[in-house]
Amino acid sequence: MDGFTAIKQIRSSSSVPLMLSARGKEYDKLFGFELGIDDYFVKPFSPKKLIARIAAVVARSKQAHQIYKKFEFWGLIIDLTGREPSL
């Protein structure tokens, strides 16, 4: 199975944002982005650069997750971050 097929299968049940591949042509990278990845690494790559990009993705994920920490239901607002209900 090639990486593009793997990404299609993984993306059907998960949101893996990075792709590692030996294919470095522009059309390969563009196809990866069309499949929904956020970043494309061509082998060989710098492990430090990979770790930095993973850290950036995790930070963005945490920020996006924090947006949804406040819920409103029939006038009751629940703030999960502050752990306080309010009317």
Side-chain angles (χ1 to χ4, degrees):
M1 173 186 317
D2 70 353
F4 296 117
T5 305
I7 285 292
K8 287 178 187 178
Q9 288 186 355
I10 292 168
R11 294 293 289 188
S12 69
S13 62
S14 180
S15 60
V16 175
L18 303 175
M19 181 172 182
L20 308 175
S21 177
R23 296 179 173 184
K25 303 279 186 191
E26 182 177 21
Y27 58 83
D28 292 320
K29 294 177 185 178
L30 292 173
F31 186 57
F33 290 117
E34 287 176 16
L35 294 176
I37 61 160
D38 294 332
D39 211 343
Y40 191 103
F41 281 87
V42 178
K43 299 173 195 173
F45 52 85
S46 162
K48 288 181 181 182
K49 191 174 183 181
L50 176 63
I51 290 170
R53 290 197 180 170
I54 289 171
V57 168
V58 169
R60 280 195 309 271
S61 175
K62 284 182 181 179
Q63 288 172 354
H65 183 68
Q66 289 175 355
I67 293 170
Y68 300 104
K69 297 251 181 182
K70 196 178 266 192
F71 300 95
E72 183 173 350
F73 184 73
W74 289 8
L76 173 67
I77 300 170
I78 300 172
D79 181 0
L80 297 177
T81 304
R83 299 177 187 244
E84 296 178 357
S86 62
L87 296 174

